[in-house]
Structures are given as structure tokens and as C-alpha cells.
Amino acid sequence: MYSSMKKVLVGIGSNKAYDGKSPLEILLCACTELEKVLENTVFSSVYRTRAMYVENQDDFYNMAATGFVSDDFDAYDFLEILNKIEAKYGRNRKNEIRFGPRSLDLDIEYFGEETFDTPKLQVPHPRLKERAFVLIPSLEILNKSADDKLRNQFSGYLSQLEKNGQADGIEKLGGIKYGTISGNGSC
């Protein structure tokens, strides 16, 4: 069924309100936007996590999404779509602190079997191995897929973080769309 499709994994995060929307409402809107781009989209639960790197900021709300794009879909075009979604919900990369507060952060964690290492795009994401806040929600949805290779790889990364005490402070809140978290309905 998906022989001409690529599986895509996107990390999603927010810790800053924008235009009257809370971070959780922004996540809900981002999910709606991603469903327009990805086929057979699956979303993880939302996890509240302490900020990394720049710790003096509000907790983040993180989740992951997976779905499929056509084989002829270009990763750079996909990145441009994600950047437009981020901008629509208040992200302005020119005016932000690196690793600081943001209304919406969409990262391509995996894009089919493709790898990229350019100034504009790095896939797999270069800091994936150190980010339990990406690994935990990703494993939640990968556990429902037949992708043993990716699931085992992520499980290994998470196991290492757990051994080093670097996977603490992540609280599962619930599902964003069909579960316990909902927004005001206006995106």
C-alpha cells in the first residue's frame, strides 16, 4: 500500500503562547496542519518536559507525529512547509534565543531512509540521541508500527539516557486530539 511512500517522523514542541492560544492549543493546531500534509498521520500523547539547554524558561509540551509522504516529495520542500506552519503560529527564528522559548517547534526527525547533513537540514536530527522528550513520544507511536529497526534504535538511545539519569522530568499528559486535551477549536 505504501510502496511509493516515505515514512516521516516529526517532533513537535511548544512552551509559549501566541495570539491568545496556549502552547497546548498551538500543538492542536499544528496537528491539524500536519494532517493536511501527511497521510495516515498518527500522533503521540503530549508530554510536559523541563526545558533543556536553556533551562530558565517554562516547561515544554512535546509530542511526535508520523505519517507518509509521496516518494517524490522532497525533504527541503517538507521543511519549508513545517517552517510556514511554525511561522503561522508565531515562530520568528530571527528574534528568538537558540533553544529558548518558542510558540511552535517542528523538527524532522526522520524522512524515509534519506539522510541530510547540510547547513539547512540535518536528518536524522543531530540531537535526537540526547532528547528523551523526542524519543519517548516517538516510541509511543512507533510501538504501533511495524518499523522494528527504528523502534529498536530509539529504544537503545532512550535506554542509554535512562542509565545516565537523563530521561527524568517527563510527564505524560494525554492525547491532544481525541483524548484529554482539546483547544478552543479555532486554528
Side-chain angles (χ1 to χ4, degrees):
M1 178 178 178
Y2 298 107
S3 59
S4 62
M5 304 290 277
K6 292 179 219 176
K7 188 173 194 168
V8 176
L9 178 65
V10 179
I12 310 166
S14 177
N15 78 334
K16 180 177 159 185
Y18 172 74
D19 197 26
K21 292 178 182 21
S22 71
L24 290 171
E25 290 170 324
I26 292 169
L27 290 182
L28 179 62
C29 291
C31 290
T32 301
E33 298 285 345
L34 287 170
E35 283 183 316
K36 296 174 187 175
V37 186
L38 298 172
E39 292 187 33
N40 289 19
T41 314
V42 177
F43 298 102
S44 73
S45 298
V46 176
Y47 294 81
R48 182 175 29 226
T49 61
R50 292 188 308 255
M52 276 183 81
Y53 313 116
V54 176
E55 296 177 5
N56 188 18
Q57 60 181 309
D58 290 339
D59 288 347
F60 272 86
Y61 295 92
N62 294 104
M63 58 186 303
T66 188
F68 295 88
V69 295
S70 171
D71 261 349
D72 57 1
F73 204 85
D74 180 86
Y76 291 95
D77 292 336
F78 188 63
L79 177 63
E80 187 174 318
I81 289 168
L82 296 184
N83 283 266
K84 285 179 182 176
I85 295 169
E86 289 175 333
K88 181 176 180 177
Y89 295 100
R91 183 154 189 195
N92 183 339
R93 292 176 184 271
K94 292 178 184 171
N95 294 336
E96 69 183 27
I97 299 166
R98 182 165 168 81
F99 302 123
R102 60 200 62 199
S103 55
L104 183 59
D105 187 21
L106 300 172
D107 288 332
I108 303 172
E109 305 298 344
Y110 270 83
F111 194 82
E113 296 294 320
E114 298 176 32
T115 60
F116 301 88
D117 192 6
T118 68
K120 187 175 180 178
L121 181 62
Q122 294 176 295
V123 176
H125 195 284
R127 288 174 295 286
L128 175 67
K129 294 178 184 180
E130 65 190 49
R131 293 180 166 180
F133 65 83
V134 173
L135 295 169
I136 291 171
S138 296
L139 280 166
E140 178 186 326
I141 54 179
L142 289 173
N143 282 335
K144 299 173 186 170
S145 77
D147 195 336
D148 290 334
K149 178 183 172 194
L150 196 54
R151 187 174 51 246
N152 290 338
Q153 184 179 25
F154 280 29
S155 291
Y157 296 157
L158 183 59
S159 178
Q160 189 61 44
L161 291 176
E162 288 171 339
K163 273 190 226 174
N164 297 332
Q166 297 171 305
D168 299 335
I170 298 176
E171 175 189 1
K172 183 176 182 177
L173 299 180
I176 188 96
K177 201 146 181 148
Y178 309 107
T180 58
I181 298 168
S182 61
N184 62 16
S186 63
C187 289

